[in-house]
Amino acid sequence: PYSVQLLLLTSFSWIAAPLMTLTHKRKEFSVRSRHSRLGYAVLVVSVTLSIVAIAIPYIRNPGLYGVDTRYYLDQLTSMNDVEALLKLLSADPRTLYVLLLKFFTILGGSSELAINIGSVVLAALNAYAFYLFSGEIVKDRFAGGLAAVFSALGMQTSVSLYAGIYANWLSMFLAASAFGFYLRAVRTKNSMLFFLAGLCVAIGLVAHPWSGLVYASTLLSSCVVDVVSFWWRHKRLQIAESMLALAIVLILFVGYLFLGLAGSIQDLRLFPQITSLEKLTSSLAFSMSYMVGGFMSAPIFYITALLGFSCLCLNKGASGGTRLVSLWLVTTSIALLFAEQWLQWRLIYSMP
């Protein structure tokens, strides 16, 4: 009950962010002084938890799990030569993840084992990526480790394993890594980290266009807002920062161009799906309850998200991260109003 209402509150919580960030009661929350040294230990726990949570079903009942898993098995079986590879690349961008699985089979593993091991590796990588991203937002390793634990137990992990949407999962890992690199690059002015952020998002665009478009739009918006914010405060732009911002834009443009040439986004159509709030809630209720096993209908995910975002907005030391997460929500929430049901659950999956 109330899952749709909680989803909408979470999706549009960015509207209240400016008001919360202007309150005089904002404080800098940090557990750095007491628990920072435990950050790496918590990271190890979260990665181990991710691996165990995904591996247990395979250990208890060996086999393949996930709705889309059959697709990956079929692609691995049919990818026997360069001609077949080129055909798959032009037909489906998820081939990038299939290529990674194919490399494992070349080393001697079976196709089934490659798919199972791949899901375990993706779970561990996502835990690390959210450790990097969340730790960079609040500049605290322990908090990053706790975020990694939540990612191991979160909605995306359950949905990814149940639906077998490994390319989406890979794209989310790349996005969280990109956002972490970007926030650290802004703080340290490290040009290599700017490049890595743009590169991760560009690869994410190729790995899974629907998810990649959300993440690329978020990073591009954050880059533009940060550059404008710097100019507004200092009335000048440092040449190095301007060039780095331009480099990110160019990398993203190349990603969009590649997808256009590959025909990957030709079928993307967004229509206004709402003529009333009742129709919107009805459509979302169906997507949340009947898509990907109904995992997205659990209220706890949205309650914790609302609490977390509120704390983030009230944290004086997390302004940069608050802007990025707000823009992430802006991108997904507005698109949610125009998306058909097959795309709605993907947008919910892509939310922070």
Side-chain angles (χ1 to χ4, degrees):
Y2 307 113
S3 294
V4 174
Q5 290 80 359
L6 287 170
L7 167 64
L8 291 173
L9 280 174
T10 304
S11 302
F12 291 93
S13 57
W14 56 269
I15 296 175
L19 298 177
M20 287 190 284
T21 55
L22 291 175
T23 179
H24 67 282
K25 295 183 179 180
R26 293 180 77 211
K27 296 181 179 181
E28 184 169 353
F29 306 135
S30 177
V31 291
R32 186 183 301 110
S33 58
R34 293 184 179 181
H35 303 295
S36 182
R37 293 181 181 179
L38 296 175
Y40 291 125
V42 180
L43 172 63
V44 172
V45 170
S46 66
V47 171
T48 304
L49 185 62
S50 300
I51 293 173
V52 171
I54 300 300
I56 283 179
Y58 297 125
I59 294 174
R60 294 183 61 184
N61 297 293
L64 294 175
Y65 295 89
V67 178
D68 286 356
T69 302
R70 175 57 57 180
Y71 160 84
Y72 291 98
L73 182 62
D74 292 342
Q75 299 306 318
L76 280 174
T77 305
S78 63
M79 192 184 291
N80 296 319
D81 51 42
V82 177
E83 183 179 352
L85 170 61
L86 294 175
K87 184 178 180 181
L88 287 173
L89 281 173
S90 62
D92 195 331
R94 290 178 293 178
T95 305
L96 177 63
Y97 184 67
V98 178
L99 273 174
L100 297 177
L101 297 180
K102 189 66 176 179
F103 178 74
F104 180 84
T105 62
I106 293 174
L107 296 178
S110 66
S111 297
E112 291 81 359
L113 182 61
I115 293 172
N116 294 342
I117 293 294
S119 61
V120 173
V121 172
L122 282 174
L125 289 176
N126 271 273
Y128 175 76
F130 278 98
Y131 164 82
L132 171 68
F133 176 42
S134 302
E136 197 58 42
I137 288 178
V138 295
K139 305 176 184 65
D140 190 280
R141 293 173 184 168
F142 182 75
L146 291 178
V149 171
F150 281 116
S151 79
L153 302 173
M155 176 181 67
Q156 282 84 1
T157 300
S158 301
V159 170
S160 299
L161 184 62
Y162 173 85
I165 47 174
Y166 306 123
N168 302 61
W169 214 359
L170 174 62
S171 186
M172 174 156 283
F173 154 68
L174 292 166
S177 300
F179 297 156
F181 289 143
Y182 176 76
L183 291 175
R184 185 172 294 181
V186 171
R187 178 171 58 86
T188 63
K189 303 298 186 292
N190 186 316
S191 58
M192 181 55 68
L193 291 175
F194 274 104
F195 173 77
L196 287 176
L199 183 62
C200 284
V201 170
I203 296 173
L205 273 165
V206 176
H208 196 271
W210 316 127
S211 304
L213 286 171
V214 171
Y215 307 138
S217 300
T218 300
L219 183 61
L220 187 55
S221 302
S222 184
C223 179
V224 171
V225 169
D226 285 340
V227 170
V228 171
S229 175
F230 183 88
W231 178 85
W232 184 263
R233 286 183 283 112
H234 302 282
K235 302 302 181 184
R236 64 185 177 84
L237 284 178
Q238 294 180 354
I239 295 177
E241 288 183 349
S242 300
M243 292 178 65
L244 290 170
L246 179 61
I248 291 179
V249 172
L250 289 175
I251 289 173
L252 296 176
F253 176 77
V254 169
Y256 279 111
L257 181 62
F258 176 84
L259 289 174
L261 292 174
S264 301
I265 58 175
Q266 291 179 356
D267 295 328
L268 178 60
R269 299 188 303 273
L270 295 178
F271 301 102
Q273 296 299 312
I274 56 165
T275 54
S276 69
L277 182 60
E278 182 180 359
K279 287 187 177 181
L280 174 63
T281 55
S282 176
S283 177
L284 288 174
F286 179 85
S287 298
M288 296 169 68
S289 300
Y290 295 100
M291 299 292 187
V292 292
F295 288 107
M296 293 179 174
S297 61
I300 187 63
F301 293 131
Y302 308 109
I303 293 173
T304 53
L306 281 170
L307 291 174
F309 186 67
S310 299
C311 291
L312 186 62
C313 292
L314 294 173
N315 189 344
K316 189 185 296 185
S319 298
T322 302
R323 275 199 304 272
L324 195 151
V325 174
S326 297
L327 289 169
W328 193 347
L329 287 171
V330 169
T331 304
T332 51
S333 61
I334 293 178
L336 199 62
L337 299 178
F338 294 86
E340 297 177 352
Q341 286 178 337
W342 69 268
L343 186 55
Q344 280 179 345
W345 73 265
R346 289 176 170 83
L347 290 170
I348 298 171
Y349 175 92
S350 300
M351 288 182 178

